[in-house]
PDB file of all heavy atoms in Angstrom:
ATOM      1  N   MET W   1     -64.789  18.672  62.081  1.00  0.00           N
ATOM      2  CA  MET W   1     -63.507  19.048  61.504  1.00  0.00           C
ATOM      3  C   MET W   1     -63.707  19.375  60.029  1.00  0.00           C
ATOM      4  O   MET W   1     -64.079  18.503  59.244  1.00  0.00           O
ATOM      5  CB  MET W   1     -62.481  17.930  61.671  1.00  0.00           C
ATOM      6  CG  MET W   1     -62.294  17.490  63.121  1.00  0.00           C
ATOM      7  SD  MET W   1     -60.961  16.291  63.322  1.00  0.00           S
ATOM      8  CE  MET W   1     -61.634  14.906  62.395  1.00  0.00           C
ATOM      9  N   ASN W   2     -63.460  20.626  59.659  1.00  0.00           N
ATOM     10  CA  ASN W   2     -63.586  21.091  58.285  1.00  0.00           C
ATOM     11  C   ASN W   2     -62.235  21.546  57.756  1.00  0.00           C
ATOM     12  O   ASN W   2     -61.308  21.810  58.512  1.00  0.00           O
ATOM     13  CB  ASN W   2     -64.588  22.240  58.196  1.00  0.00           C
ATOM     14  CG  ASN W   2     -65.967  21.863  58.659  1.00  0.00           C
ATOM     15  OD1 ASN W   2     -66.447  20.767  58.380  1.00  0.00           O
ATOM     16  ND2 ASN W   2     -66.629  22.785  59.357  1.00  0.00           N
ATOM     17  N   SER W   3     -62.142  21.676  56.439  1.00  0.00           N
ATOM     18  CA  SER W   3     -60.915  22.130  55.777  1.00  0.00           C
ATOM     19  C   SER W   3     -59.704  21.362  56.273  1.00  0.00           C
ATOM     20  O   SER W   3     -58.667  21.937  56.612  1.00  0.00           O
ATOM     21  CB  SER W   3     -60.730  23.639  55.990  1.00  0.00           C
ATOM     22  OG  SER W   3     -61.829  24.368  55.482  1.00  0.00           O
ATOM     23  N   LEU W   4     -59.814  20.056  56.304  1.00  0.00           N
ATOM     24  CA  LEU W   4     -58.764  19.216  56.871  1.00  0.00           C
ATOM     25  C   LEU W   4     -57.484  19.289  56.050  1.00  0.00           C
ATOM     26  O   LEU W   4     -57.515  19.404  54.824  1.00  0.00           O
ATOM     27  CB  LEU W   4     -59.246  17.777  56.977  1.00  0.00           C
ATOM     28  CG  LEU W   4     -60.197  17.512  58.146  1.00  0.00           C
ATOM     29  CD1 LEU W   4     -60.954  16.214  57.949  1.00  0.00           C
ATOM     30  CD2 LEU W   4     -59.414  17.481  59.458  1.00  0.00           C
ATOM     31  N   LYS W   5     -56.360  19.224  56.759  1.00  0.00           N
ATOM     32  CA  LYS W   5     -55.033  19.281  56.171  1.00  0.00           C
ATOM     33  C   LYS W   5     -54.278  17.998  56.493  1.00  0.00           C
ATOM     34  O   LYS W   5     -54.568  17.341  57.486  1.00  0.00           O
ATOM     35  CB  LYS W   5     -54.252  20.475  56.723  1.00  0.00           C
ATOM     36  CG  LYS W   5     -54.945  21.815  56.574  1.00  0.00           C
ATOM     37  CD  LYS W   5     -54.151  22.913  57.266  1.00  0.00           C
ATOM     38  CE  LYS W   5     -54.838  24.250  57.140  1.00  0.00           C
ATOM     39  NZ  LYS W   5     -54.072  25.322  57.839  1.00  0.00           N
ATOM     40  N   PRO W   6     -53.281  17.634  55.675  1.00  0.00           N
ATOM     41  CA  PRO W   6     -52.495  16.440  55.995  1.00  0.00           C
ATOM     42  C   PRO W   6     -51.883  16.477  57.390  1.00  0.00           C
ATOM     43  O   PRO W   6     -51.747  15.419  58.023  1.00  0.00           O
ATOM     44  CB  PRO W   6     -51.421  16.430  54.910  1.00  0.00           C
ATOM     45  CG  PRO W   6     -52.073  17.107  53.746  1.00  0.00           C
ATOM     46  CD  PRO W   6     -52.927  18.182  54.349  1.00  0.00           C
ATOM     47  N   GLU W   7     -51.517  17.651  57.891  1.00  0.00           N
ATOM     48  CA  GLU W   7     -50.936  17.753  59.222  1.00  0.00           C
ATOM     49  C   GLU W   7     -51.941  17.497  60.342  1.00  0.00           C
ATOM     50  O   GLU W   7     -51.555  17.422  61.513  1.00  0.00           O
ATOM     51  CB  GLU W   7     -50.256  19.114  59.427  1.00  0.00           C
ATOM     52  CG  GLU W   7     -51.131  20.295  59.054  1.00  0.00           C
ATOM     53  CD  GLU W   7     -50.845  20.825  57.663  1.00  0.00           C
ATOM     54  OE1 GLU W   7     -50.747  20.021  56.723  1.00  0.00           O
ATOM     55  OE2 GLU W   7     -50.711  22.058  57.516  1.00  0.00           O
ATOM     56  N   ASP W   8     -53.226  17.358  60.015  1.00  0.00           N
ATOM     57  CA  ASP W   8     -54.225  16.956  60.995  1.00  0.00           C
ATOM     58  C   ASP W   8     -54.231  15.451  61.222  1.00  0.00           C
ATOM     59  O   ASP W   8     -54.941  14.973  62.117  1.00  0.00           O
ATOM     60  CB  ASP W   8     -55.619  17.399  60.555  1.00  0.00           C
ATOM     61  CG  ASP W   8     -55.778  18.907  60.513  1.00  0.00           C
ATOM     62  OD1 ASP W   8     -55.269  19.593  61.424  1.00  0.00           O
ATOM     63  OD2 ASP W   8     -56.409  19.411  59.563  1.00  0.00           O
ATOM     64  N   THR W   9     -53.493  14.705  60.440  1.00  0.00           N
ATOM     65  CA  THR W   9     -53.442  13.256  60.576  1.00  0.00           C
ATOM     66  C   THR W   9     -52.917  12.873  61.955  1.00  0.00           C
ATOM     67  O   THR W   9     -51.832  13.291  62.355  1.00  0.00           O
ATOM     68  CB  THR W   9     -52.565  12.640  59.488  1.00  0.00           C
ATOM     69  OG1 THR W   9     -53.165  12.876  58.211  1.00  0.00           O
ATOM     70  CG2 THR W   9     -52.400  11.144  59.697  1.00  0.00           C
ATOM     71  N   ALA W  10     -53.692  12.075  62.696  1.00  0.00           N
ATOM     72  CA  ALA W  10     -53.335  11.684  64.054  1.00  0.00           C
ATOM     73  C   ALA W  10     -54.384  10.730  64.593  1.00  0.00           C
ATOM     74  O   ALA W  10     -55.443  10.536  63.985  1.00  0.00           O
ATOM     75  CB  ALA W  10     -53.242  12.911  64.969  1.00  0.00           C
ATOM     76  N   ILE W  11     -54.090  10.139  65.747  1.00  0.00           N
ATOM     77  CA  ILE W  11     -55.107   9.459  66.527  1.00  0.00           C
ATOM     78  C   ILE W  11     -55.764  10.507  67.421  1.00  0.00           C
ATOM     79  O   ILE W  11     -55.076  11.232  68.141  1.00  0.00           O
ATOM     80  CB  ILE W  11     -54.518   8.320  67.375  1.00  0.00           C
ATOM     81  CG1 ILE W  11     -53.848   7.280  66.478  1.00  0.00           C
ATOM     82  CG2 ILE W  11     -55.607   7.664  68.213  1.00  0.00           C
ATOM     83  CD1 ILE W  11     -53.141   6.181  67.241  1.00  0.00           C
ATOM     84  N   TYR W  12     -57.082  10.583  67.378  1.00  0.00           N
ATOM     85  CA  TYR W  12     -57.835  11.563  68.147  1.00  0.00           C
ATOM     86  C   TYR W  12     -58.466  10.890  69.358  1.00  0.00           C
ATOM     87  O   TYR W  12     -59.098   9.839  69.245  1.00  0.00           O
ATOM     88  CB  TYR W  12     -58.908  12.219  67.282  1.00  0.00           C
ATOM     89  CG  TYR W  12     -58.345  13.257  66.339  1.00  0.00           C
ATOM     90  CD1 TYR W  12     -57.560  12.875  65.254  1.00  0.00           C
ATOM     91  CD2 TYR W  12     -58.575  14.614  66.549  1.00  0.00           C
ATOM     92  CE1 TYR W  12     -57.020  13.822  64.403  1.00  0.00           C
ATOM     93  CE2 TYR W  12     -58.046  15.562  65.694  1.00  0.00           C
ATOM     94  CZ  TYR W  12     -57.269  15.167  64.622  1.00  0.00           C
ATOM     95  OH  TYR W  12     -56.739  16.106  63.772  1.00  0.00           O
ATOM     96  N   TYR W  13     -58.304  11.512  70.541  1.00  0.00           N
ATOM     97  CA  TYR W  13     -58.788  10.975  71.802  1.00  0.00           C
ATOM     98  C   TYR W  13     -59.786  11.929  72.446  1.00  0.00           C
ATOM     99  O   TYR W  13     -59.510  13.126  72.573  1.00  0.00           O
ATOM    100  CB  TYR W  13     -57.636  10.752  72.786  1.00  0.00           C
ATOM    101  CG  TYR W  13     -56.605   9.747  72.333  1.00  0.00           C
ATOM    102  CD1 TYR W  13     -55.504  10.146  71.584  1.00  0.00           C
ATOM    103  CD2 TYR W  13     -56.726   8.408  72.669  1.00  0.00           C
ATOM    104  CE1 TYR W  13     -54.549   9.229  71.174  1.00  0.00           C
ATOM    105  CE2 TYR W  13     -55.770   7.490  72.267  1.00  0.00           C
ATOM    106  CZ  TYR W  13     -54.685   7.909  71.519  1.00  0.00           C
ATOM    107  OH  TYR W  13     -53.742   6.986  71.125  1.00  0.00           O
ATOM    108  N   CYS W  14     -60.914  11.413  72.880  1.00  0.00           N
ATOM    109  CA  CYS W  14     -61.861  12.153  73.689  1.00  0.00           C
ATOM    110  C   CYS W  14     -61.442  12.074  75.150  1.00  0.00           C
ATOM    111  O   CYS W  14     -60.950  11.037  75.605  1.00  0.00           O
ATOM    112  CB  CYS W  14     -63.270  11.591  73.502  1.00  0.00           C
ATOM    113  SG  CYS W  14     -64.568  12.511  74.342  1.00  0.00           S
ATOM    114  N   ALA W  15     -61.611  13.164  75.897  1.00  0.00           N
ATOM    115  CA  ALA W  15     -61.215  13.212  77.297  1.00  0.00           C
ATOM    116  C   ALA W  15     -62.229  14.013  78.105  1.00  0.00           C
ATOM    117  O   ALA W  15     -62.962  14.845  77.559  1.00  0.00           O
ATOM    118  CB  ALA W  15     -59.823  13.832  77.442  1.00  0.00           C
ATOM    119  N   ALA W  16     -62.251  13.781  79.428  1.00  0.00           N
ATOM    120  CA  ALA W  16     -63.191  14.469  80.305  1.00  0.00           C
ATOM    121  C   ALA W  16     -62.596  14.660  81.685  1.00  0.00           C
ATOM    122  O   ALA W  16     -61.743  13.890  82.125  1.00  0.00           O
ATOM    123  CB  ALA W  16     -64.505  13.690  80.406  1.00  0.00           C
ATOM    124  N   THR W  17     -63.063  15.711  82.374  1.00  0.00           N
ATOM    125  CA  THR W  17     -62.660  15.992  83.748  1.00  0.00           C
ATOM    126  C   THR W  17     -63.846  16.546  84.517  1.00  0.00           C
ATOM    127  O   THR W  17     -64.646  17.305  83.964  1.00  0.00           O
ATOM    128  CB  THR W  17     -61.484  16.987  83.801  1.00  0.00           C
ATOM    129  OG1 THR W  17     -61.193  17.298  85.165  1.00  0.00           O
ATOM    130  CG2 THR W  17     -61.809  18.281  83.058  1.00  0.00           C
ATOM    131  N   PRO W  18     -63.992  16.199  85.813  1.00  0.00           N
ATOM    132  CA  PRO W  18     -65.096  16.744  86.604  1.00  0.00           C
ATOM    133  C   PRO W  18     -64.851  18.139  87.135  1.00  0.00           C
ATOM    134  O   PRO W  18     -65.774  18.754  87.657  1.00  0.00           O
ATOM    135  CB  PRO W  18     -65.212  15.749  87.765  1.00  0.00           C
ATOM    136  CG  PRO W  18     -63.823  15.246  87.945  1.00  0.00           C
ATOM    137  CD  PRO W  18     -63.229  15.182  86.561  1.00  0.00           C
ATOM    138  N   ALA W  19     -63.631  18.665  87.034  1.00  0.00           N
ATOM    139  CA  ALA W  19     -63.272  19.936  87.642  1.00  0.00           C
ATOM    140  C   ALA W  19     -63.639  21.101  86.733  1.00  0.00           C
ATOM    141  O   ALA W  19     -63.080  21.217  85.637  1.00  0.00           O
ATOM    142  CB  ALA W  19     -61.788  19.975  87.963  1.00  0.00           C
ATOM    143  N   PRO W  20     -64.553  21.989  87.167  1.00  0.00           N
ATOM    144  CA  PRO W  20     -64.918  23.165  86.370  1.00  0.00           C
ATOM    145  C   PRO W  20     -63.932  24.305  86.596  1.00  0.00           C
ATOM    146  O   PRO W  20     -64.220  25.261  87.315  1.00  0.00           O
ATOM    147  CB  PRO W  20     -66.319  23.503  86.868  1.00  0.00           C
ATOM    148  CG  PRO W  20     -66.307  23.076  88.299  1.00  0.00           C
ATOM    149  CD  PRO W  20     -65.391  21.870  88.375  1.00  0.00           C
ATOM    150  N   THR W  21     -62.776  24.227  85.994  1.00  0.00           N
ATOM    151  CA  THR W  21     -61.741  25.243  86.143  1.00  0.00           C
ATOM    152  C   THR W  21     -62.127  26.522  85.400  1.00  0.00           C
ATOM    153  O   THR W  21     -63.000  26.524  84.538  1.00  0.00           O
ATOM    154  CB  THR W  21     -60.396  24.728  85.630  1.00  0.00           C
ATOM    155  OG1 THR W  21     -60.549  24.245  84.294  1.00  0.00           O
ATOM    156  CG2 THR W  21     -59.894  23.589  86.510  1.00  0.00           C
ATOM    157  N   SER W  22     -61.443  27.624  85.769  1.00  0.00           N
ATOM    158  CA  SER W  22     -61.750  28.918  85.174  1.00  0.00           C
ATOM    159  C   SER W  22     -61.455  28.936  83.679  1.00  0.00           C
ATOM    160  O   SER W  22     -62.127  29.641  82.919  1.00  0.00           O
ATOM    161  CB  SER W  22     -60.972  30.024  85.881  1.00  0.00           C
ATOM    162  OG  SER W  22     -59.578  29.778  85.831  1.00  0.00           O
ATOM    163  N   GLN W  23     -60.441  28.198  83.266  1.00  0.00           N
ATOM    164  CA  GLN W  23     -60.136  28.010  81.854  1.00  0.00           C
ATOM    165  C   GLN W  23     -60.191  26.525  81.523  1.00  0.00           C
ATOM    166  O   GLN W  23     -59.816  25.689  82.344  1.00  0.00           O
ATOM    167  CB  GLN W  23     -58.752  28.555  81.505  1.00  0.00           C
ATOM    168  CG  GLN W  23     -58.692  30.050  81.273  1.00  0.00           C
ATOM    169  CD  GLN W  23     -57.373  30.457  80.638  1.00  0.00           C
ATOM    170  OE1 GLN W  23     -56.308  30.118  81.152  1.00  0.00           O
ATOM    171  NE2 GLN W  23     -57.441  31.172  79.533  1.00  0.00           N
ATOM    172  N   ILE W  24     -60.639  26.198  80.333  1.00  0.00           N
ATOM    173  CA  ILE W  24     -60.616  24.809  79.890  1.00  0.00           C
ATOM    174  C   ILE W  24     -59.163  24.370  79.819  1.00  0.00           C
ATOM    175  O   ILE W  24     -58.368  24.966  79.102  1.00  0.00           O
ATOM    176  CB  ILE W  24     -61.309  24.659  78.531  1.00  0.00           C
ATOM    177  CG1 ILE W  24     -62.793  24.986  78.669  1.00  0.00           C
ATOM    178  CG2 ILE W  24     -61.106  23.262  77.978  1.00  0.00           C
ATOM    179  CD1 ILE W  24     -63.530  25.060  77.359  1.00  0.00           C
ATOM    180  N   PRO W  25     -58.782  23.326  80.571  1.00  0.00           N
ATOM    181  CA  PRO W  25     -57.365  22.941  80.620  1.00  0.00           C
ATOM    182  C   PRO W  25     -56.894  22.315  79.325  1.00  0.00           C
ATOM    183  O   PRO W  25     -57.653  21.649  78.614  1.00  0.00           O
ATOM    184  CB  PRO W  25     -57.315  21.949  81.788  1.00  0.00           C
ATOM    185  CG  PRO W  25     -58.697  21.382  81.865  1.00  0.00           C
ATOM    186  CD  PRO W  25     -59.617  22.506  81.448  1.00  0.00           C
ATOM    187  N   MET W  26     -55.605  22.527  79.038  1.00  0.00           N
ATOM    188  CA  MET W  26     -54.982  21.980  77.849  1.00  0.00           C
ATOM    189  C   MET W  26     -54.013  20.845  78.159  1.00  0.00           C
ATOM    190  O   MET W  26     -53.575  20.165  77.231  1.00  0.00           O
ATOM    191  CB  MET W  26     -54.235  23.080  77.082  1.00  0.00           C
ATOM    192  CG  MET W  26     -55.135  24.223  76.624  1.00  0.00           C
ATOM    193  SD  MET W  26     -54.236  25.565  75.791  1.00  0.00           S
ATOM    194  CE  MET W  26     -53.704  24.747  74.300  1.00  0.00           C
ATOM    195  N   ALA W  27     -53.678  20.645  79.432  1.00  0.00           N
ATOM    196  CA  ALA W  27     -52.715  19.630  79.832  1.00  0.00           C
ATOM    197  C   ALA W  27     -53.392  18.278  79.977  1.00  0.00           C
ATOM    198  O   ALA W  27     -54.443  18.157  80.610  1.00  0.00           O
ATOM    199  CB  ALA W  27     -52.034  20.016  81.132  1.00  0.00           C
ATOM    200  N   THR W  28     -52.784  17.251  79.435  1.00  0.00           N
ATOM    201  CA  THR W  28     -53.361  15.906  79.494  1.00  0.00           C
ATOM    202  C   THR W  28     -53.525  15.410  80.920  1.00  0.00           C
ATOM    203  O   THR W  28     -54.478  14.686  81.216  1.00  0.00           O
ATOM    204  CB  THR W  28     -52.494  14.911  78.710  1.00  0.00           C
ATOM    205  OG1 THR W  28     -51.166  14.898  79.247  1.00  0.00           O
ATOM    206  CG2 THR W  28     -52.438  15.294  77.236  1.00  0.00           C
ATOM    207  N   ILE W  29     -52.625  15.816  81.831  1.00  0.00           N
ATOM    208  CA  ILE W  29     -52.653  15.324  83.201  1.00  0.00           C
ATOM    209  C   ILE W  29     -53.893  15.786  83.952  1.00  0.00           C
ATOM    210  O   ILE W  29     -54.273  15.184  84.958  1.00  0.00           O
ATOM    211  CB  ILE W  29     -51.368  15.740  83.945  1.00  0.00           C
ATOM    212  CG1 ILE W  29     -51.189  14.939  85.230  1.00  0.00           C
ATOM    213  CG2 ILE W  29     -51.372  17.237  84.218  1.00  0.00           C
ATOM    214  CD1 ILE W  29     -49.857  15.172  85.903  1.00  0.00           C
ATOM    215  N   LEU W  30     -54.559  16.827  83.486  1.00  0.00           N
ATOM    216  CA  LEU W  30     -55.738  17.362  84.156  1.00  0.00           C
ATOM    217  C   LEU W  30     -57.029  16.672  83.733  1.00  0.00           C
ATOM    218  O   LEU W  30     -58.098  17.015  84.243  1.00  0.00           O
ATOM    219  CB  LEU W  30     -55.833  18.864  83.914  1.00  0.00           C
ATOM    220  CG  LEU W  30     -54.655  19.680  84.463  1.00  0.00           C
ATOM    221  CD1 LEU W  30     -54.832  21.158  84.144  1.00  0.00           C
ATOM    222  CD2 LEU W  30     -54.499  19.475  85.958  1.00  0.00           C
ATOM    223  N   TYR W  31     -56.961  15.726  82.848  1.00  0.00           N
ATOM    224  CA  TYR W  31     -58.114  14.938  82.431  1.00  0.00           C
ATOM    225  C   TYR W  31     -57.994  13.522  82.981  1.00  0.00           C
ATOM    226  O   TYR W  31     -56.927  12.901  82.879  1.00  0.00           O
ATOM    227  CB  TYR W  31     -58.240  14.908  80.907  1.00  0.00           C
ATOM    228  CG  TYR W  31     -58.626  16.240  80.326  1.00  0.00           C
ATOM    229  CD1 TYR W  31     -57.688  17.242  80.152  1.00  0.00           C
ATOM    230  CD2 TYR W  31     -59.941  16.497  79.954  1.00  0.00           C
ATOM    231  CE1 TYR W  31     -58.049  18.472  79.632  1.00  0.00           C
ATOM    232  CE2 TYR W  31     -60.312  17.719  79.428  1.00  0.00           C
ATOM    233  CZ  TYR W  31     -59.362  18.707  79.270  1.00  0.00           C
ATOM    234  OH  TYR W  31     -59.723  19.924  78.743  1.00  0.00           O
ATOM    235  N   ASN W  32     -59.068  13.007  83.569  1.00  0.00           N
ATOM    236  CA  ASN W  32     -59.007  11.715  84.240  1.00  0.00           C
ATOM    237  C   ASN W  32     -59.783  10.607  83.537  1.00  0.00           C
ATOM    238  O   ASN W  32     -59.762   9.461  83.994  1.00  0.00           O
ATOM    239  CB  ASN W  32     -59.490  11.839  85.690  1.00  0.00           C
ATOM    240  CG  ASN W  32     -60.946  12.240  85.793  1.00  0.00           C
ATOM    241  OD1 ASN W  32     -61.580  12.631  84.822  1.00  0.00           O
ATOM    242  ND2 ASN W  32     -61.488  12.138  87.010  1.00  0.00           N
ATOM    243  N   SER W  33     -60.474  10.917  82.448  1.00  0.00           N
ATOM    244  CA  SER W  33     -61.189   9.913  81.670  1.00  0.00           C
ATOM    245  C   SER W  33     -60.817  10.055  80.211  1.00  0.00           C
ATOM    246  O   SER W  33     -60.758  11.171  79.684  1.00  0.00           O
ATOM    247  CB  SER W  33     -62.700  10.057  81.835  1.00  0.00           C
ATOM    248  OG  SER W  33     -63.094   9.821  83.179  1.00  0.00           O
TER     249      SER W  33
END
């Protein structure tokens, strides 16, 4: 993370899914770890 801004302030979570979808999913429900 470069050029950080105050609006970047948050708790950051790593996530993973075994499904190789055509597009990298953006919905939280599609990640299981």
